[in-house]
Amino acid sequence: MTKAVAPPQARPVTPTTILAKELTLLCHELDERNGSDPRLRARLHRLRHLAVGLDPYLDECTTPESDALAELARATRETDWRTGAFGESPGGLEQEMLSGHVEGQALKFLVHLRGARRVLEIGMFTGYSALAMAEALPDGGVVVACELDAAVARFAMDRFATSHAGRRISVEVGPAMNTLKRLVDEGAAPFEVVFIDADK
């Protein structure tokens, strides 16, 4: 019987999580050194505590995510993006590409504030930001989400199907430049909000 392998833990990718990791390593290094200044160690531990607590604090103080967004985030975290249907993805995929709760709520707020009816997203991954923005749209609104990877697009669309707001998302698979050119050629209506989350 083969043992199930847990997906890898998220690695630090944001400035705050990288800072927290570096400060943690420095704290461990100083704690193991004989004769290091206890006042310096205490100051460094306080700084580490602040850095480690910043993202959880922001998460706690941000409007809670919907059940559909929470489920999409859970499914993304529990998928091993290095293997299976996603192993051949160009450029590599990882769970850290998920926009996440705080960014999703910020995007949702901006869409609502603008009163947008048409949103364009370039680079969808598993669809967290697309779904968050779709939740802010009125009936008849649409998020056109461009995603290069067909397997990832299917993963996202499966989750959209379980959400009322997911019906407001139109997924375009393939190079975004081709999609944009086609939309222009078809005379598509303009977008009020554009979120570029592809390869910068």
Coordinates of all heavy atoms in Angstrom, one line a residue, residues 5-105:
V5 N 1.2 11.3 -0.1 CA 2.2 12.3 0.1 C 1.4 13.6 0.2 O 0.7 14.0 -0.7 CB 3.2 12.4 -1.0 CG1 4.2 13.5 -0.8 CG2 3.9 11.0 -1.1
A6 N 1.6 14.3 1.3 CA 1.0 15.6 1.5 C 1.6 16.7 0.6 O 2.8 16.6 0.3 CB 1.2 16.1 2.9
P7 N 0.8 17.6 0.0 CA 1.3 18.6 -0.8 C 2.3 19.5 0.0 O 2.3 19.5 1.2 CB 0.1 19.5 -1.2 CG -1.0 19.0 -0.3 CD -0.7 17.7 0.2
P8 N 3.3 20.1 -0.7 CA 4.3 20.8 0.0 C 3.7 22.0 0.7 O 2.7 22.6 0.3 CB 5.2 21.3 -1.2 CG 4.4 21.2 -2.4 CD 3.4 20.1 -2.2
Q9 N 4.4 22.4 1.8 CA 4.0 23.6 2.5 C 4.3 24.8 1.7 O 5.2 24.9 0.9 CB 4.7 23.7 3.9 CG 4.3 22.6 4.9 CD 2.9 22.8 5.4 OE1 2.4 23.9 5.5 NE2 2.3 21.7 5.6
A10 N 3.4 25.9 1.9 CA 3.7 27.1 1.1 C 5.0 27.7 1.5 O 5.4 27.7 2.7 CB 2.5 28.1 1.5
R11 N 5.7 28.1 0.5 CA 7.0 28.8 0.8 C 6.8 30.3 0.9 O 5.9 30.8 0.3 CB 8.1 28.4 -0.2 CG 7.8 28.9 -1.6 CD 8.8 28.5 -2.6 NE 8.4 28.9 -3.9 CZ 8.7 30.2 -4.4 NH1 9.4 31.0 -3.7 NH2 8.4 30.5 -5.6
P12 N 7.7 31.0 1.6 CA 7.5 32.4 1.7 C 7.8 33.1 0.4 O 8.9 32.9 -0.2 CB 8.6 32.8 2.7 CG 9.4 31.6 3.1 CD 8.8 30.5 2.4
V13 N 6.9 33.9 -0.1 CA 7.0 34.6 -1.4 C 6.7 36.1 -1.3 O 7.1 36.8 -2.2 CB 6.1 34.0 -2.5 CG1 6.6 32.6 -2.8 CG2 4.7 33.9 -2.1
T14 N 6.0 36.5 -0.3 CA 5.7 37.9 -0.1 C 6.8 38.6 0.7 O 7.5 37.9 1.5 CB 4.4 38.2 0.6 OG1 4.5 37.7 1.9 CG2 3.3 37.5 -0.2
P15 N 7.0 39.9 0.6 CA 8.0 40.6 1.4 C 7.9 40.3 2.9 O 8.9 40.0 3.6 CB 7.8 42.0 1.1 CG 7.3 42.1 -0.3 CD 6.4 40.8 -0.3
T16 N 6.7 40.2 3.4 CA 6.5 40.0 4.9 C 6.8 38.6 5.3 O 7.5 38.3 6.3 CB 5.1 40.3 5.3 OG1 4.1 39.6 4.5 CG2 4.8 41.8 5.2
T17 N 6.5 37.6 4.4 CA 6.8 36.2 4.8 C 8.3 35.9 4.6 O 8.8 35.1 5.4 CB 5.9 35.2 4.0 OG1 6.1 35.4 2.6 CG2 4.4 35.3 4.3
I18 N 8.9 36.5 3.6 CA 10.4 36.3 3.5 C 11.1 37.0 4.7 O 12.0 36.4 5.2 CB 10.8 37.0 2.1 CG1 10.3 36.1 1.0 CG2 12.4 37.0 2.1 CD1 10.4 36.8 -0.4
L19 N 10.6 38.2 5.1 CA 11.2 38.8 6.2 C 11.1 38.0 7.5 O 12.0 37.8 8.3 CB 10.6 40.2 6.4 CG 11.0 41.0 7.7 CD1 12.5 41.4 7.6 CD2 10.1 42.2 7.8
A20 N 9.9 37.4 7.7 CA 9.6 36.6 8.9 C 10.5 35.4 8.9 O 11.1 35.0 9.9 CB 8.1 36.2 8.9
K21 N 10.7 34.7 7.7 CA 11.6 33.6 7.6 C 13.0 33.9 8.0 O 13.7 33.2 8.7 CB 11.5 32.9 6.3 CG 12.4 31.7 6.1 CD 12.4 31.1 4.8 CE 13.3 29.9 4.7 NZ 13.4 29.3 3.3
E22 N 13.5 35.0 7.4 CA 14.9 35.5 7.6 C 15.1 35.8 9.1 O 16.1 35.5 9.7 CB 15.3 36.6 6.7 CG 15.4 36.3 5.3 CD 16.5 35.2 5.0 OE1 17.6 35.4 5.6 OE2 16.3 34.3 4.3
L23 N 14.2 36.5 9.7 CA 14.3 36.9 11.1 C 14.2 35.6 12.0 O 14.9 35.5 13.0 CB 13.2 37.8 11.5 CG 13.4 39.3 11.0 CD1 12.1 40.1 11.3 CD2 14.6 39.9 11.6
T24 N 13.4 34.6 11.6 CA 13.4 33.4 12.4 C 14.7 32.7 12.3 O 15.2 32.2 13.4 CB 12.3 32.5 11.8 OG1 11.0 33.1 12.0 CG2 12.2 31.1 12.5
L25 N 15.3 32.6 11.2 CA 16.6 32.0 11.0 C 17.7 32.7 11.8 O 18.5 32.1 12.5 CB 17.0 31.9 9.6 CG 16.2 31.0 8.7 CD1 16.6 31.1 7.2 CD2 16.3 29.5 9.1
L26 N 17.7 34.1 11.8 CA 18.6 34.8 12.6 C 18.4 34.6 14.1 O 19.4 34.5 14.9 CB 18.5 36.3 12.3 CG 19.1 36.8 11.0 CD1 18.7 38.2 10.7 CD2 20.6 36.7 11.0
C27 N 17.1 34.5 14.5 CA 16.9 34.3 15.9 C 17.5 32.9 16.4 O 18.1 32.8 17.4 CB 15.4 34.3 16.2 SG 14.7 36.0 16.2
H28 N 17.2 31.9 15.6 CA 17.8 30.6 15.9 C 19.3 30.6 15.9 O 19.9 30.0 16.8 CB 17.3 29.5 14.9 CG 15.8 29.2 15.0 ND1 15.2 29.0 16.2 CD2 14.9 29.0 14.1 CE1 13.9 28.7 16.0 NE2 13.7 28.7 14.7
E29 N 19.9 31.3 15.0 CA 21.4 31.4 14.9 C 21.9 32.1 16.2 O 22.9 31.6 16.8 CB 21.8 32.1 13.7 CG 23.3 32.0 13.4 CD 23.7 32.7 12.1 OE1 22.9 32.6 11.1 OE2 24.7 33.3 12.1
L30 N 21.3 33.2 16.5 CA 21.8 33.9 17.7 C 21.5 33.1 19.0 O 22.4 33.2 19.9 CB 21.1 35.3 17.8 CG 21.8 36.4 17.0 CD1 21.1 37.7 17.3 CD2 23.3 36.6 17.5
D31 N 20.4 32.5 19.1 CA 20.1 31.7 20.3 C 21.1 30.6 20.5 O 21.3 30.2 21.7 CB 18.6 31.1 20.2 CG 17.6 32.2 20.3 OD1 17.9 33.3 20.8 OD2 16.4 31.9 19.9
E32 N 21.6 30.0 19.4 CA 22.6 28.9 19.6 C 24.0 29.4 19.8 O 24.9 28.5 20.1 CB 22.5 28.0 18.3 CG 21.2 27.3 18.2 CD 21.1 26.5 16.9 OE1 22.0 26.6 16.0 OE2 20.0 25.9 16.6
R33 N 24.3 30.7 19.7 CA 25.6 31.2 19.9 C 25.9 31.5 21.4 O 25.1 32.2 22.0 CB 25.8 32.5 19.1 CG 26.2 32.3 17.7 CD 26.7 33.5 17.1 NE 26.8 33.4 15.7 CZ 27.1 34.3 14.8 NH1 27.2 35.5 15.3 NH2 27.2 34.1 13.6
N34 N 27.0 31.0 21.9 CA 27.3 31.3 23.2 C 27.8 32.7 23.3 O 28.6 33.2 22.4 CB 28.4 30.4 23.7 CG 27.9 28.9 23.9 OD1 26.7 28.8 24.2 ND2 28.8 28.0 23.7
G35 N 27.4 33.4 24.3 CA 27.9 34.8 24.5 C 27.2 35.9 23.7 O 27.7 37.0 23.7
S36 N 26.2 35.5 23.0 CA 25.5 36.6 22.2 C 24.7 37.5 23.2 O 24.2 37.0 24.2 CB 24.6 36.0 21.1 OG 23.6 35.2 21.7
D37 N 24.6 38.8 22.9 CA 24.0 39.8 23.7 C 22.5 39.5 23.9 O 21.8 39.4 22.9 CB 24.2 41.1 23.0 CG 23.7 42.3 23.9 OD1 22.9 42.0 24.8 OD2 24.1 43.4 23.6
P38 N 22.1 39.2 25.1 CA 20.7 38.9 25.4 C 19.7 40.0 25.0 O 18.6 39.8 24.6 CB 20.6 38.6 26.9 CG 21.9 39.1 27.5 CD 22.9 39.2 26.4
R39 N 20.2 41.3 25.1 CA 19.3 42.4 24.7 C 19.1 42.4 23.2 O 18.0 42.7 22.7 CB 19.9 43.7 25.2 CG 19.9 43.9 26.7 CD 20.6 45.2 27.1 NE 22.0 45.1 26.6 CZ 22.8 46.2 26.7 NH1 22.4 47.3 27.1 NH2 24.1 46.0 26.2
L40 N 20.2 42.1 22.5 CA 20.1 42.0 21.0 C 19.2 40.9 20.6 O 18.3 41.1 19.7 CB 21.5 41.8 20.4 CG 21.5 41.7 18.9 CD1 21.0 43.0 18.2 CD2 22.9 41.4 18.4
R41 N 19.3 39.7 21.3 CA 18.4 38.6 21.0 C 17.0 39.0 21.3 O 16.1 38.6 20.5 CB 18.8 37.4 21.8 CG 20.1 36.7 21.3 CD 20.2 35.3 21.8 NE 19.8 35.0 23.1 CZ 20.6 35.0 24.2 NH1 21.9 35.4 24.0 NH2 20.2 34.8 25.4
A42 N 16.7 39.6 22.4 CA 15.3 40.0 22.7 C 14.7 41.0 21.7 O 13.6 40.8 21.3 CB 15.3 40.6 24.1
R43 N 15.5 41.9 21.2 CA 15.0 42.9 20.2 C 14.7 42.1 18.9 O 13.7 42.4 18.3 CB 16.1 44.0 20.0 CG 16.2 45.0 21.1 CD 17.2 46.0 20.8 NE 16.9 46.8 19.6 CZ 17.7 47.6 19.0 NH1 19.0 47.7 19.4 NH2 17.3 48.3 18.0
L44 N 15.6 41.2 18.5 CA 15.4 40.5 17.3 C 14.2 39.6 17.4 O 13.4 39.5 16.4 CB 16.7 39.6 17.0 CG 16.8 39.0 15.6 CD1 16.7 40.2 14.5 CD2 18.0 38.2 15.5
H45 N 13.9 39.0 18.5 CA 12.7 38.2 18.7 C 11.5 39.0 18.6 O 10.5 38.6 18.1 CB 12.8 37.4 20.1 CG 13.6 36.1 20.0 ND1 13.1 34.9 19.5 CD2 14.9 35.9 20.3 CE1 14.0 34.0 19.6 NE2 15.1 34.5 20.0
R46 N 11.5 40.2 19.2 CA 10.4 41.1 19.0 C 10.1 41.5 17.6 O 8.9 41.5 17.1 CB 10.6 42.4 19.9 CG 10.4 42.2 21.4 CD 10.2 43.5 22.1 NE 11.4 44.4 22.0 CZ 12.5 44.4 22.7 NH1 12.6 43.5 23.7 NH2 13.4 45.3 22.5
L47 N 11.2 41.8 16.8 CA 11.0 42.1 15.4 C 10.4 40.9 14.7 O 9.5 41.0 13.8 CB 12.3 42.5 14.8 CG 12.9 43.8 15.2 CD1 14.3 44.1 14.7 CD2 12.0 44.9 14.7
R48 N 10.9 39.7 15.0 CA 10.4 38.5 14.3 C 8.9 38.3 14.7 O 8.1 37.9 13.8 CB 11.2 37.2 14.8 CG 10.7 35.9 14.2 CD 11.1 34.7 15.1 NE 10.3 33.6 14.7 CZ 9.1 33.3 15.1 NH1 8.5 34.1 16.0 NH2 8.5 32.2 14.7
H49 N 8.6 38.5 15.9 CA 7.2 38.4 16.3 C 6.3 39.3 15.5 O 5.2 38.9 15.1 CB 7.0 38.6 17.8 CG 5.7 38.5 18.3 ND1 5.0 37.3 18.5 CD2 4.8 39.4 18.7 CE1 3.8 37.4 18.9 NE2 3.6 38.7 19.1
L50 N 6.7 40.5 15.3 CA 5.9 41.5 14.5 C 5.8 41.0 13.1 O 4.7 41.1 12.5 CB 6.6 42.9 14.5 CG 6.4 43.7 15.8 CD1 7.3 44.9 15.7 CD2 5.0 44.1 16.0
A51 N 6.9 40.6 12.5 CA 6.9 40.1 11.1 C 6.0 38.9 10.9 O 5.2 38.8 9.9 CB 8.3 39.9 10.6
V52 N 6.1 37.9 11.8 CA 5.3 36.7 11.7 C 3.8 37.0 11.9 O 3.0 36.4 11.2 CB 5.8 35.7 12.7 CG1 4.8 34.5 12.9 CG2 7.2 35.1 12.4
G53 N 3.5 38.0 12.7 CA 2.1 38.3 13.0 C 1.4 39.2 12.0 O 0.2 39.3 12.1
L54 N 2.2 39.8 11.1 CA 1.5 40.8 10.2 C 0.5 40.2 9.3 O -0.7 40.7 9.2 CB 2.6 41.6 9.4 CG 2.0 42.7 8.5 CD1 1.3 43.7 9.3 CD2 3.2 43.3 7.7
D55 N 0.8 39.2 8.5 CA -0.1 38.6 7.6 C -1.4 38.0 8.3 O -2.5 38.2 7.9 CB 0.5 37.5 6.7 CG 1.3 38.1 5.6 OD1 1.3 39.4 5.4 OD2 1.9 37.4 4.8
P56 N -1.2 37.2 9.4 CA -2.4 36.8 10.2 C -3.2 37.9 10.7 O -4.5 37.8 10.7 CB -1.8 36.0 11.3 CG -0.4 35.5 10.9 CD 0.0 36.6 10.0
Y57 N -2.6 39.0 11.1 CA -3.4 40.2 11.6 C -4.2 40.8 10.4 O -5.4 41.1 10.6 CB -2.4 41.3 12.1 CG -3.1 42.6 12.5 CD1 -3.8 42.7 13.6 CD2 -2.9 43.7 11.6 CE1 -4.4 43.9 13.9 CE2 -3.6 44.9 11.9 CZ -4.3 45.0 13.0 OH -4.9 46.2 13.3
L58 N -3.6 41.0 9.3 CA -4.3 41.5 8.1 C -5.5 40.5 7.7 O -6.6 41.0 7.4 CB -3.4 41.7 6.9 CG -2.4 42.8 7.0 CD1 -1.4 42.7 5.9 CD2 -3.0 44.1 7.2
D59 N -5.2 39.2 7.8 CA -6.2 38.3 7.5 C -7.4 38.4 8.4 O -8.6 38.3 8.0 CB -5.6 36.9 7.5 CG -6.5 35.8 6.9 OD1 -6.8 35.9 5.7 OD2 -6.9 34.9 7.6
E60 N -7.1 38.5 9.7 CA -8.1 38.6 10.7 C -9.0 39.8 10.6 O -10.2 39.8 10.9 CB -7.5 38.5 12.1 CG -8.4 38.5 13.3 CD -7.7 38.4 14.6 OE1 -6.7 37.7 14.7 OE2 -8.2 39.1 15.6
C61 N -8.3 40.9 10.2 CA -9.0 42.2 10.1 C -9.7 42.5 8.8 O -10.3 43.5 8.6 CB -8.0 43.4 10.4 SG -7.4 43.4 12.1
T62 N -9.6 41.6 7.9 CA -10.2 41.7 6.5 C -11.6 41.0 6.5 O -11.8 40.0 7.2 CB -9.3 41.1 5.5 OG1 -8.0 41.8 5.5 CG2 -9.9 41.2 4.1
T63 N -12.5 41.5 5.7 CA -13.8 40.9 5.6 C -13.7 39.4 5.3 O -12.9 39.0 4.5 CB -14.6 41.6 4.4 OG1 -14.7 43.0 4.7 CG2 -16.0 41.0 4.3
P64 N -14.4 38.6 6.0 CA -14.3 37.1 5.8 C -14.6 36.8 4.3 O -15.4 37.4 3.7 CB -15.3 36.5 6.7 CG -15.6 37.6 7.8 CD -15.4 38.9 7.1
E65 N -13.9 35.7 3.9 CA -14.2 35.2 2.5 C -15.4 34.4 2.5 O -15.9 33.9 3.5 CB -13.0 34.4 2.0 CG -12.7 33.2 2.8 CD -11.3 32.6 2.5 OE1 -10.7 33.0 1.5 OE2 -10.9 31.7 3.2
S66 N -16.1 34.3 1.3 CA -17.2 33.4 1.2 C -16.9 32.0 1.3 O -15.7 31.6 1.2 CB -17.9 33.7 -0.2 OG -17.0 33.2 -1.2
D67 N -17.9 31.1 1.5 CA -17.6 29.7 1.6 C -17.0 29.2 0.3 O -16.1 28.3 0.3 CB -18.9 28.9 1.9 CG -19.4 29.2 3.3 OD1 -18.6 29.6 4.1 OD2 -20.6 28.9 3.5
A68 N -17.4 29.7 -0.8 CA -16.9 29.3 -2.1 C -15.4 29.6 -2.3 O -14.6 28.8 -2.8 CB -17.7 29.9 -3.3
L69 N -15.0 30.8 -1.8 CA -13.6 31.2 -1.9 C -12.8 30.4 -0.9 O -11.7 30.0 -1.3 CB -13.5 32.7 -1.6 CG -13.9 33.7 -2.7 CD1 -14.0 35.1 -2.2 CD2 -13.0 33.6 -3.9
A70 N -13.3 30.1 0.2 CA -12.6 29.3 1.2 C -12.4 27.9 0.7 O -11.3 27.3 0.8 CB -13.3 29.3 2.6
E71 N -13.4 27.3 0.0 CA -13.2 26.0 -0.5 C -12.2 26.0 -1.7 O -11.4 25.1 -1.8 CB -14.6 25.5 -1.0 CG -14.6 24.2 -1.8 CD -13.9 23.0 -1.0 OE1 -13.9 23.1 0.2 OE2 -13.4 22.1 -1.7
L72 N -12.3 27.0 -2.5 CA -11.3 27.1 -3.6 C -9.9 27.2 -3.1 O -9.0 26.5 -3.6 CB -11.7 28.3 -4.5 CG -11.0 28.3 -5.9 CD1 -11.8 29.2 -6.8 CD2 -9.6 28.8 -5.9
A73 N -9.7 28.0 -2.1 CA -8.3 28.1 -1.5 C -7.9 26.8 -0.9 O -6.7 26.4 -1.1 CB -8.3 29.2 -0.4
R74 N -8.8 26.1 -0.2 CA -8.5 24.8 0.4 C -8.0 23.8 -0.7 O -7.0 23.2 -0.6 CB -9.6 24.3 1.2 CG -9.3 22.9 1.9 CD -10.6 22.2 2.2 NE -11.3 21.8 1.0 CZ -11.0 20.9 0.1 NH1 -9.9 20.2 0.3 NH2 -11.8 20.6 -0.9
A75 N -8.8 23.7 -1.8 CA -8.5 22.8 -2.8 C -7.2 23.1 -3.5 O -6.4 22.2 -3.9 CB -9.6 22.8 -3.9
T76 N -6.9 24.4 -3.6 CA -5.6 24.8 -4.2 C -4.5 24.4 -3.3 O -3.5 23.9 -3.8 CB -5.6 26.3 -4.5 OG1 -6.7 26.7 -5.3 CG2 -4.3 26.8 -5.1
R77 N -4.6 24.7 -2.0 CA -3.5 24.3 -1.1 C -3.3 22.8 -1.0 O -2.2 22.4 -0.8 CB -3.9 24.8 0.3 CG -3.6 26.3 0.6 CD -3.7 26.6 2.0 NE -5.0 26.2 2.6 CZ -6.1 26.9 2.7 NH1 -6.1 28.1 2.1 NH2 -7.2 26.5 3.2
E78 N -4.3 22.0 -1.2 CA -4.2 20.6 -1.0 C -3.8 19.9 -2.3 O -3.7 18.6 -2.3 CB -5.5 20.0 -0.5 CG -5.8 20.4 0.9 CD -7.1 19.9 1.5 OE1 -7.8 19.2 0.8 OE2 -7.4 20.2 2.7
T79 N -3.6 20.6 -3.4 CA -3.2 20.0 -4.7 C -1.7 20.1 -4.8 O -1.1 21.1 -4.5 CB -3.9 20.7 -5.8 OG1 -5.3 20.6 -5.7 CG2 -3.4 20.2 -7.2
D80 N -1.1 19.0 -5.2 CA 0.3 19.0 -5.5 C 0.5 19.4 -6.9 O 0.3 18.6 -7.8 CB 0.9 17.6 -5.2 CG 2.5 17.6 -5.3 OD1 3.0 18.6 -5.8 OD2 3.1 16.7 -4.8
W81 N 0.9 20.7 -7.1 CA 1.0 21.2 -8.5 C 2.2 20.7 -9.2 O 2.4 21.0 -10.4 CB 1.0 22.8 -8.4 CG -0.3 23.2 -7.8 CD1 -0.5 23.6 -6.5 CD2 -1.5 23.3 -8.5 NE1 -1.8 23.9 -6.3 CE2 -2.5 23.8 -7.5 CE3 -1.9 23.1 -9.8 CZ2 -3.8 24.0 -7.8 CZ3 -3.2 23.3 -10.1 CH2 -4.2 23.7 -9.2
R82 N 3.1 20.0 -8.6 CA 4.3 19.5 -9.3 C 4.1 18.2 -10.0 O 4.9 17.8 -10.8 CB 5.4 19.3 -8.3 CG 5.8 20.5 -7.5 CD 6.6 20.2 -6.3 NE 5.9 19.2 -5.4 CZ 6.5 18.6 -4.4 NH1 7.7 18.9 -4.0 NH2 5.8 17.8 -3.7
T83 N 2.9 17.5 -9.7 CA 2.7 16.2 -10.3 C 1.4 16.1 -11.0 O 0.6 17.0 -10.9 CB 2.8 15.1 -9.2 OG1 1.8 15.4 -8.2 CG2 4.2 15.1 -8.6
G84 N 1.1 14.9 -11.5 CA -0.2 14.6 -12.1 C -0.5 15.5 -13.3 O 0.4 15.7 -14.1
A85 N -1.7 15.9 -13.4 CA -2.2 16.6 -14.6 C -1.5 18.0 -14.8 O -1.5 18.6 -15.8 CB -3.7 16.9 -14.5
F86 N -0.8 18.4 -13.7 CA -0.2 19.8 -13.7 C 1.3 19.7 -13.8 O 2.0 20.7 -13.9 CB -0.6 20.5 -12.4 CG -2.1 20.5 -12.2 CD1 -2.6 19.7 -11.2 CD2 -2.9 21.3 -12.9 CE1 -4.0 19.7 -11.0 CE2 -4.3 21.3 -12.7 CZ -4.8 20.5 -11.7
G87 N 1.9 18.5 -13.9 CA 3.3 18.3 -13.9 C 4.0 18.9 -15.2 O 5.2 19.2 -15.1
E88 N 3.3 19.0 -16.3 CA 3.9 19.5 -17.5 C 3.6 21.0 -17.8 O 3.8 21.5 -18.9 CB 3.4 18.7 -18.7 CG 3.7 17.2 -18.6 CD 5.2 16.9 -18.4 OE1 6.0 17.5 -19.1 OE2 5.5 16.1 -17.5
S89 N 3.1 21.7 -16.8 CA 2.7 23.1 -17.0 C 3.9 23.9 -17.3 O 4.9 23.8 -16.6 CB 2.0 23.6 -15.8 OG 0.8 22.9 -15.6
P90 N 3.8 24.8 -18.3 CA 5.0 25.7 -18.6 C 5.3 26.6 -17.5 O 4.4 27.2 -17.0 CB 4.5 26.4 -19.9 CG 3.0 26.3 -19.9 CD 2.7 25.1 -19.2
G91 N 6.5 26.8 -17.2 CA 6.9 27.8 -16.2 C 6.7 27.3 -14.7 O 7.2 27.9 -13.8
G92 N 6.1 26.1 -14.6 CA 5.9 25.6 -13.2 C 4.7 26.3 -12.5 O 4.5 27.5 -12.7
L93 N 4.0 25.5 -11.7 CA 2.9 26.0 -10.9 C 3.2 25.7 -9.5 O 3.8 24.7 -9.1 CB 1.6 25.4 -11.4 CG 1.2 25.6 -12.8 CD1 0.0 24.7 -13.2 CD2 0.8 27.0 -13.0
E94 N 2.6 26.6 -8.6 CA 2.8 26.3 -7.2 C 1.6 27.0 -6.5 O 1.1 28.0 -6.9 CB 4.1 26.8 -6.6 CG 4.4 28.2 -7.0 CD 5.9 28.6 -6.7 OE1 6.6 27.9 -6.0 OE2 6.3 29.7 -7.1
Q95 N 1.3 26.5 -5.3 CA 0.1 27.0 -4.6 C 0.3 28.5 -4.2 O -0.7 29.2 -4.0 CB -0.1 26.2 -3.3 CG 1.0 26.3 -2.3 CD 0.7 25.5 -1.0 OE1 -0.5 25.6 -0.5 NE2 1.6 24.8 -0.5
E96 N 1.5 29.0 -4.2 CA 1.7 30.4 -3.8 C 1.2 31.4 -4.9 O 1.2 32.6 -4.6 CB 3.2 30.6 -3.6 CG 3.8 30.0 -2.3 CD 4.2 28.5 -2.5 OE1 4.1 28.0 -3.7 OE2 4.5 27.8 -1.6
M97 N 0.8 30.8 -6.0 CA 0.3 31.7 -7.1 C -1.1 32.1 -6.8 O -1.7 33.0 -7.4 CB 0.4 31.0 -8.4 CG 1.8 30.7 -8.9 SD 1.9 29.6 -10.3 CE 1.2 30.5 -11.6
L98 N -1.8 31.5 -5.8 CA -3.1 31.9 -5.4 C -3.1 33.3 -4.8 O -2.3 33.6 -4.0 CB -3.6 30.9 -4.3 CG -5.0 31.1 -3.8 CD1 -6.0 30.5 -4.8 CD2 -5.2 30.5 -2.4
S99 N -4.1 34.1 -5.3 CA -4.2 35.5 -4.8 C -4.4 35.5 -3.3 O -3.7 36.2 -2.6 CB -5.3 36.2 -5.5 OG -4.9 36.4 -6.9
G100 N -5.4 34.8 -2.8 CA -5.6 34.7 -1.4 C -6.6 35.7 -0.8 O -7.1 36.6 -1.5
H101 N -6.9 35.5 0.4 CA -8.0 36.2 1.1 C -7.9 37.7 1.1 O -8.8 38.4 0.6 CB -8.1 35.7 2.6 CG -9.1 36.4 3.4 ND1 -8.8 36.6 4.8 CD2 -10.2 37.0 3.2 CE1 -9.9 37.3 5.3 NE2 -10.7 37.5 4.3
V102 N -6.8 38.3 1.6 CA -6.7 39.7 1.7 C -6.7 40.4 0.3 O -7.5 41.4 0.1 CB -5.4 40.1 2.5 CG1 -5.2 41.6 2.5 CG2 -5.5 39.6 3.9
E103 N -5.9 39.9 -0.6 CA -5.9 40.4 -2.0 C -7.3 40.2 -2.7 O -7.8 41.2 -3.3 CB -4.8 39.8 -2.8 CG -4.7 40.4 -4.2 CD -3.5 39.8 -5.0 OE1 -2.5 39.3 -4.4 OE2 -3.6 39.8 -6.2
G104 N -7.9 39.1 -2.5 CA -9.2 38.9 -3.0 C -10.3 39.9 -2.6 O -11.1 40.4 -3.3
Q105 N -10.3 40.2 -1.3 CA -11.2 41.1 -0.7 C -10.9 42.6 -1.2 O -11.8 43.4 -1.4 CB -11.3 41.1 0.8 CG -11.8 39.7 1.3 CD -13.2 39.5 0.8 OE1 -14.1 40.3 0.9 NE2 -13.4 38.3 0.2

